Amino acid sequence: MRRSSQPQNSAAPLNYYVLVGAMLLCGLLTLLLGKDLSWDLANYHFYNPYALLHFRYNMDYWPAALQTFFNPTLDLLMYFLINTFKPITAGFMLGAIQGITVWLTWRIALLFLANSQHARYFALLLAILGAYCPQFLTGIGMTLGDLTVGIFVLASIYTTLSFLKTHASNTFSLYLSGLLMGIGIGLKLTVIFYLFGIEIALLLGASLQFKQALRYAILFGIAALIGIAISSGYWMTILWLKFHNPFFPLFNAIFQSPDFPAINWHDARFAPSTAWQAIFFPFYFSMNNHASFDIAYRDLRFVFALVFFLLLGLKWLFIRTKQLVNPLDKWFLLFFLMSYIAWEIIFSFMRYAVILEMLTPLALYLLINQISSRIWTRRILLAATYYTIAFTMATGAAERGKWATDSYFGFQIPPSINTTKNAVVLLTTLNYKRMMGAPLSITYLIPFLPKAWHFVGVPFYTDASNVWPADIKKIIAETKDPIYLLAAKDSMQQFIVMSADVQLKNTGNCHEIKIAHGFRRQTDVLLCQVKKFSR
């Protein structure tokens, strides 16, 4: 099933069948699994596009914590779907769009296979096995954005491989590849490690003279910067004008915005703690339920990839084989390895590596072909590897709910709330200093509350170790509007006790917002009026 010497073209009908089939099946899979009720959607994926479209950034104060300032462009898609269609239709459409990643994985696999009917079906098997992974199954139809932005990443990889396969005859393909990657990075910064993988592979793995390889890497990088400017330039400009940091609140040790501590904040919960763990990290996160992800899962594909990379390295080191490595194989394997290393160094959070997960079956196929030259040895190794991956894979459930026929979130706002024209609402939100012990997010309620209200996110721990930021104290002291506390029902009493630290006390006037078919683990929400008092 190896490639032919001629450029490979899949049969046009099969190409369309795979594209439409992947989209339909992923849309239906979304309906089967349930609608997205994740913490991220409740916290910022719905609020951020609302804030952008309604100019809330001068009205509200950090209602979604750090995530308030993440680029909202990618979330505009789901915001539009939720507000335009019934929940089940919106979910199907998002899942179908994300299903394009399966088709692109198939297209990438075809580049490495012979131009035959059997090879096309084997490439389809690689794409299906790629999608049969924990991060795809927990992410399909979700608003987290990893699969949506993965369309740009996979399109960039495919375009780069096509450029290299045609012996670099058309640099427009390289520009397009860099542009696609840059657009993806601008939409969601967490895919930036793929940029490092492609750049290193262009420099070292494309079997080109160094000057030519350097030229291609620079052209790709310039196109990527243009892509970032297209998808995120306006947002970076807004952040620069407001905070003097285009990535606010990230990288603030560099930009020194006075509105956030001078630190380069990142979530380091899943990073390897020792050098030994870093080297053999796949053995930890593939079988340790929570070593690199919030949801328990088991998936051995990266373990096999690590073992086969080590075997290939030993073969090259000690056997000194004269078997020639196909330049396309060399580029892809180097890209895969460098992207993985960059991911582990920067993030170590498995959800961000979903595209690598989907490409792993292809990487395993290429690795086994390099390790052994005997056809039957290859077939046995491939069959055993794929069988083991498929029949040992297990994943926990993402935060999903049943499909409703009316509204997506399914809560009831008491009519009495709308009688208050102006108000300052303090709501519990994530404290960036400690990711664990965060409250259940309720930011998704803001678009449905009176538009003239000002919402203030209060860093909150469920264990009561809370400190009020000076900016929030100033807002409370200066406002003449009514003040309310907004929190999940089981957190409200602690929030009321906490508010005494800023001279606020409960008036006993509370509105209950019923969550009819709302977020998993979510209780009903209380909106309680407080008033200032003097000590």
Side-chain angles (χ1 to χ4, degrees), residues 174-439:
L174 189 64
Y175 284 119
L176 178 60
S177 176
L179 193 69
L180 290 166
M181 180 61 70
I183 291 173
I185 294 170
L187 292 173
K188 193 171 178 67
L189 195 59
T190 54
V191 298
I192 194 169
F193 61 91
Y194 294 109
L195 173 66
F196 299 139
I198 287 182
E199 289 284 27
I200 294 173
L202 282 174
L203 282 171
L204 304 177
S207 300
L208 301 170
Q209 293 184 352
F210 180 75
K211 286 186 177 180
Q212 188 179 26
L214 180 62
R215 175 174 171 265
Y216 289 157
I218 292 173
L219 291 177
F220 183 91
I222 292 173
L225 289 175
I226 295 172
I228 292 172
I230 291 172
S231 61
S232 189
Y234 81 98
W235 185 247
M236 295 169 69
T237 302
I238 290 172
L239 294 179
W240 175 259
L241 293 175
K242 189 173 180 63
F243 301 109
H244 302 291
N245 178 350
F247 302 100
F248 186 84
L250 307 177
F251 308 115
N252 208 44
I254 300 171
F255 292 98
Q256 301 283 312
S257 171
D259 297 285
F260 192 72
I263 59 173
N264 291 329
W265 183 90
H266 70 286
D267 184 3
R269 287 176 295 162
F270 303 102
S273 56
T274 64
W276 182 263
Q277 191 181 71
I279 296 171
F280 295 100
F281 196 39
F283 286 93
Y284 289 87
F285 67 69
S286 296
M287 293 173 281
N288 182 338
N289 283 344
H290 295 285
S292 65
F293 194 40
D294 299 311
I295 300 173
Y297 74 94
R298 179 178 63 246
D299 186 26
L300 301 180
R301 67 190 65 210
F302 282 105
V303 171
F304 281 108
L306 174 62
V307 170
F308 290 146
F309 266 115
L310 291 174
L311 289 175
L312 183 59
L314 291 173
K315 178 182 178 181
W316 287 346
L317 184 63
F318 294 107
I319 301 179
R320 299 185 182 278
T321 176
K322 294 184 179 179
Q323 180 182 356
L324 295 178
V325 180
N326 184 282
L328 212 62
D329 293 11
K330 179 182 176 182
W331 186 93
F332 182 83
L333 291 175
L334 184 60
F335 154 76
F336 185 93
L337 181 61
M338 292 298 103
S339 296
Y340 169 82
I341 292 173
W343 165 80
E344 184 178 316
I345 293 172
I346 302 172
F347 299 114
S348 304
F349 185 47
M350 184 50 65
R351 177 160 62 80
Y352 299 157
V354 60
I355 300 305
L356 273 186
E357 262 191 327
M358 296 179 70
L359 292 173
T360 303
L362 173 59
L364 293 172
Y365 166 74
L366 297 177
L367 284 166
I368 288 172
N369 280 336
Q370 294 301 323
I371 290 171
S372 176
S373 58
R374 298 180 178 179
I375 185 65
W376 281 106
T377 303
R378 291 176 177 177
R379 290 178 177 176
I380 292 171
L381 275 175
L382 274 174
T385 300
Y386 291 162
Y387 180 91
T388 303
I389 291 172
F391 285 91
T392 59
M393 196 282 290
T395 182
E399 292 181 298
R400 298 179 187 262
K402 296 180 180 179
W403 297 101
T405 57
D406 45 8
S407 66
Y408 190 93
F409 298 105
F411 53 80
Q412 300 173 358
I413 300 291
S416 57
I417 287 179
N418 294 316
T419 60
T420 303
K421 183 177 181 181
N422 298 304
V424 171
V425 181
L426 311 176
L427 68 153
T428 56
T429 190
L430 175 71
N431 194 317
Y432 74 90
K433 293 181 180 178
R434 193 176 67 205
M435 299 295 288
M436 305 307 293

Side-chain angles (χ1 to χ4, degrees), residues 39 399 428 438-443 462 488 490-491 520-523:
W39 186 92
E399 292 181 298
T428 56
L440 298 173
S441 183
I442 51 179
T443 315
T462 54
D490 56 4
S491 298
R520 194 164 69 109
R521 299 178 296 134
Q522 178 74 68
T523 64

Side-chain angles (χ1 to χ4, degrees), residues 3-113:
R3 66 181 67 76
S4 64
S5 59
Q6 299 298 320
Q8 185 271 330
N9 292 295
S10 64
L14 183 61
N15 183 49
Y16 297 130
Y17 295 155
V18 173
L19 174 59
V20 174
M23 295 180 71
L24 288 175
L25 288 174
C26 287
L28 292 172
L29 180 60
T30 300
L31 301 189
L32 178 65
L33 294 173
K35 68 178 178 181
D36 179 5
L37 295 178
S38 63
W39 186 92
D40 294 63
L41 174 61
N43 184 47
Y44 71 100
H45 285 308
F46 190 72
Y47 169 81
N48 281 9
Y50 164 79
L52 175 68
L53 296 175
H54 293 83
F55 307 100
R56 300 289 306 187
Y57 291 102
N58 289 324
M59 292 187 65
D60 300 336
Y61 179 86
W62 295 58
L66 273 70
Q67 290 88 344
T68 302
F69 307 103
F70 288 1
N71 185 357
T73 307
L74 186 63
D75 296 322
L76 288 170
L77 171 62
M78 191 56 180
Y79 184 80
F80 166 76
L81 294 177
I82 288 176
N83 285 297
T84 306
F85 301 99
K86 291 184 177 181
I88 196 167
T89 306
F92 177 85
M93 293 175 70
L94 182 62
I97 291 169
Q98 293 171 346
I100 295 173
T101 58
V102 179
W103 173 73
L104 285 169
T105 305
W106 175 69
R107 294 289 298 175
I108 290 171
L110 282 174
L111 294 172
F112 295 89
L113 301 172

